[in-house]
Amino acid sequence: MSKRDYYDVLGVSRQADAAEIKSAYRKLAIKFHPDKNPGDKEAEENFKEAAEAYEILSNADKKARYDQFGHAGNGAGFGGGGGGMNMDDIFSQFGDIFGGGSPFESFFGGGGRSSAGRRVQKGSNLRIKVKLTLEEIAKGVEKKVKVNKKVVCHSCDGSGAKDKSSVHTCSTCGGAGSVRRVTNTILGQMQTTSTCPTCNGEGVEITAKCTTCKGEGLEKGEETISINIPAGVSEGMQLSMSGKGNAAPRGGIPGDLIILVEETTHETLKRDGINVIYDLYINFADAALGTSVEVPTIDGKAKIKIEPGTQGGKILRLKGKGIPEVNSYHKGDQLIYVNTWTPKAVSPEEREILEKLKGSANFKPQPGKNEKSFFERIKEYFE
């Protein structure tokens, strides 16, 4: 089943500002929250869908990519992680928009999720560069890269403790990760929730640290990651893979892997947006008499016909031989710029022949009405 448009999910227009997007998400999160809809799988899926939409549209960079490329800009293994989010992901990333502790306690009277108030750590993001050839960009490619990163400590399994007996429930918050305070005001009693100062929101205290990771819960490691890069990406574009960054201790959420696209220079072809450009050089005789030549394309070679009397500067077009647009079936063209090569030096025999031809009426420039000027050709190309 195809994903719904994120703006439709939140019920806002594409011109909605950050405040409108935040407000719309807040209403949906309250409506579909699992504590309010126990055992309702449909409500849970709606809750996750709204969180996924908010994750993309609340982030300026991800929103810009989504507006330009749709789900392909952030999805299909590259986007912000919405598709694989669990409840801890959602609470840890977006709970703050409800203010303090468990984001839904003020609406549902507390209780509910005993773990909602715990601070879930998130690992840091990693950035790598991936070089792509023009052929790889045109067709899409799967790249396997080795990434040096922080992984969960093998000795303590990320707990940071020497052994199981070295981990105890926090005595201050009772494992909730947050503490509540009740104050009396002229309006009555007011309850506030804040992060536990003893365990820093983790809900546990460690009495003896792991000797391998020194209590961090992480160690240096390496992972081979398969990256599916869609066709049509361009230089400088950033893709992201959720959960493929540095690991987080205490069972936290891994960071993201940010992939920066770099294009390598092609030997003969140049890219111009979704079009591919090739400079073809022919001699004067071929331009006058006509010929057939082979030109390189992204898919191999193509044979094209040069009509007799072809003028230098003419642009030939191979339809559909360019780069596809991301998240679209539309493809660009290959444009062939015909250049007539003029020799820089000639032999005495060649000079004699050229001197004879120079006086011929056929060799006097006689541009007709159908001949387009340089500026007309440029204008036609951009149109």
Side-chain angles (χ1 to χ4, degrees):
M1 185 173 66
S2 60
K3 284 188 178 182
R4 288 205 294 156
D5 181 84
Y6 288 142
Y7 292 99
D8 290 342
V9 170
L10 297 183
V12 297
S13 70
R14 289 185 171 271
Q15 288 72 43
D17 58 22
E20 291 177 278
I21 291 171
K22 181 176 180 179
S23 176
Y25 168 62
R26 190 176 188 274
K27 291 177 182 177
L28 290 174
I30 295 171
K31 179 180 179 181
F32 295 118
H33 184 256
D35 283 350
K36 192 177 180 183
N37 304 273
D40 189 336
K41 289 295 183 182
E42 184 177 353
E44 184 176 329
E45 290 305 314
N46 289 333
F47 182 74
K48 291 179 179 179
E49 184 183 42
E52 178 181 344
Y54 179 69
E55 181 196 14
I56 300 302
L57 299 185
S58 63
N59 182 293
D61 291 336
K62 293 180 180 180
K63 182 177 182 294
R65 291 200 299 271
Y66 178 72
D67 289 343
Q68 185 174 3
F69 303 115
H71 290 296
N74 292 287
F78 303 104
M85 297 179 79
N86 56 39
M87 292 304 175
D88 285 338
D89 296 340
I90 296 169
F91 292 150
S92 65
Q93 293 184 49
F94 309 132
D96 63 316
I97 75 166
F98 298 92
S102 173
F104 298 97
E105 284 178 359
S106 59
F107 297 102
F108 308 115
R113 295 178 176 270
S114 62
S115 63
R118 292 185 182 179
R119 183 173 66 89
V120 180
Q121 298 188 55
K122 182 171 183 179
S124 58
N125 294 340
L126 285 175
R127 294 179 180 274
I128 62 170
K129 293 180 180 180
V130 174
K131 292 186 178 182
L132 302 175
T133 65
L134 195 60
E135 290 82 2
E136 290 173 332
I137 290 171
K139 298 175 183 179
V141 66
E142 179 182 359
K143 287 280 188 179
K144 292 185 183 293
V145 296
K146 285 186 178 180
V147 179
N148 293 318
K149 56 192 288 190
K150 289 184 178 180
V151 298
V152 174
C153 176
H154 72 280
S155 296
C156 65
D157 199 25
S159 70
K162 182 179 179 181
D163 49 43
K164 289 183 179 181
S165 63
S166 301
V167 182
H168 302 282
T169 301
C170 176
S171 57
T172 301
C173 65
S178 60
V179 291
R180 300 179 187 176
R181 291 182 177 84
V182 179
T183 56
N184 294 316
T185 70
I186 59 173
L187 300 176
Q189 287 188 332
M190 180 176 292
Q191 178 179 284
T192 59
T193 305
S194 60
T195 300
C196 176
T198 302
C199 65
N200 199 27
E202 293 182 8
V204 295
E205 295 179 87
I206 297 174
T207 56
K209 293 181 180 180
C210 170
T211 56
T212 301
C213 65
K214 310 303 181 187
E216 186 182 359
L218 304 173
E219 61 181 337
K220 292 182 180 179
E222 183 181 83
E223 182 181 358
T224 299
I225 299 174
S226 179
I227 306 172
N228 290 308
I229 299 177
V233 296
S234 57
E235 173 82 24
M237 182 179 288
Q238 290 190 28
L239 309 174
S240 65
M241 295 185 71
S242 177
K244 292 298 183 181
N246 285 319
R250 322 285 195 268
I253 304 168
D256 298 337
L257 178 65
I258 310 299
I259 303 112
L260 178 65
V261 174
E262 285 190 353
E263 294 184 21
T264 58
T265 303
H266 195 278
E267 187 177 352
T268 54
L269 302 175
K270 296 178 182 178
R271 181 180 181 179
D272 183 15
I274 61 173
N275 292 327
V276 173
I277 295 172
Y278 176 68
D279 274 307
L280 172 66
Y281 289 88
I282 60 175
N283 61 49
F284 171 75
D286 284 337
L289 302 176
T291 187
S292 292
V293 295
E294 276 192 341
V295 297
T297 71
I298 293 173
D299 300 319
K301 290 187 177 294
K303 197 168 188 177
I304 62 171
K305 184 178 181 181
I306 304 297
E307 297 290 343
T310 295
Q311 302 299 315
K314 186 177 180 63
I315 301 175
L316 305 177
R317 186 183 297 266
L318 296 178
K319 294 288 290 183
K321 291 293 185 180
I323 306 292
E325 287 184 341
V326 177
N327 199 34
S328 171
Y329 293 107
H330 180 61
K331 288 186 68 174
D333 304 327
Q334 177 164 328
L335 305 176
I336 301 168
Y337 291 179
V338 180
N339 301 277
T340 304
W341 179 259
T342 303
K344 296 179 180 179
V346 294
S347 65
E349 293 80 4
E350 291 168 337
R351 176 176 293 277
E352 184 178 349
I353 294 171
L354 291 173
E355 288 290 351
K356 290 179 180 179
L357 294 175
K358 186 168 67 171
S360 172
N362 249 0
F363 283 78
K364 291 181 180 179
Q366 297 176 358
K369 292 182 179 180
N370 293 329
E371 297 293 338
K372 295 177 181 177
S373 68
F374 170 78
F375 293 105
E376 287 174 326
R377 290 196 298 269
I378 293 296
K379 181 180 178 182
E380 183 183 67
Y381 162 64
F382 282 108
E383 288 176 348

